[in-house]
Amino acid sequence: MQNKKKNKKLTEGEGFTLAQEQPLGISIGALLGVPQKTRADENEEKKAAQQSAHGAKAEPAAPPKISKVALQRQRAGRGGKTVTLVILPQDYKGDTAALAKELRKGLGCGSTIEDGKIILQGDIADRAEAWFTKKGVTKITKSA
């Protein structure tokens, strides 16, 4: 003998109401007794968070203009690899690390900083010259 269980249909009046074409509008949080937040509350919290984030962080200032740059190819002391040195003027007050990162992204090469000079991996002086020209540098000196 098999025990067949009949599915009992739920009807209204057993602690909830059923709607024909709408989903059951209750969340797990409501079942557990957690206070519900409305969308208006969530939007206000987002706006407050954005305003506090913008208030805490000042917009970064525009990087100082570079008037001249010297590009130099170098192989000595690099294990036979050619690198391109970017020599900035001594009075450059900008962030050299940020400029190195920008060069890295713009030229698609590796870069590092040694003794205040930016070292780009590879023989890419021509590409670096074009990049600096595009950025508005007026005097670019290339040497071997």
Side-chain angles (χ1 to χ4, degrees), residues 1 6 23 45 49 51 55 60 72 91-92 95 97 100-101 103 112 117 126 129 142:
M1 289 190 186
K6 290 188 177 181
E45 287 178 6
Q51 288 175 354
Q72 212 175 48
D91 61 345
Y92 179 68
D95 187 10
K101 184 176 182 179
L103 279 164
T112 187
K117 300 173 187 173
D126 297 331
E129 180 182 15
K142 285 178 27 178

Side-chain angles (χ1 to χ4, degrees), residues 69-74 82-87 103 107 109 118-133 140-144:
V69 167
L71 300 174
Q72 212 175 48
R73 290 181 181 99
Q74 190 179 60
T82 303
V83 296
T84 303
L85 270 77
V86 178
I87 304 168
L103 279 164
L107 299 174
C109 67
I118 299 173
I119 299 175
L120 303 173
Q121 292 178 348
D123 186 6
I124 56 171
D126 297 331
R127 288 173 39 203
E129 180 182 15
W131 188 87
F132 278 114
T133 303
I140 301 172
T141 309
K142 285 178 27 178
S143 61

Side-chain angles (χ1 to χ4, degrees), residues 19-51:
Q20 295 253 341
E21 296 179 11
Q22 295 178 356
L24 186 62
I26 192 163
S27 67
I28 295 174
L31 291 172
L32 296 175
V34 177
Q36 296 290 316
K37 290 184 182 179
T38 63
R39 287 193 182 180
D41 294 339
E42 290 175 1
N43 289 339
E44 287 178 20
E45 287 178 6
K46 285 180 186 178
K47 285 180 185 177
Q50 287 175 352
Q51 288 175 354

Side-chain angles (χ1 to χ4, degrees), residues 3-23:
N3 287 340
K4 288 188 178 182
K5 291 185 180 178
K6 290 188 177 181
N7 291 337
K8 180 181 175 189
K9 289 188 177 181
L10 295 176
T11 58
E12 290 186 29
E14 295 178 3
F16 60 92
T17 59
L18 295 175
Q20 295 253 341
E21 296 179 11
Q22 295 178 356

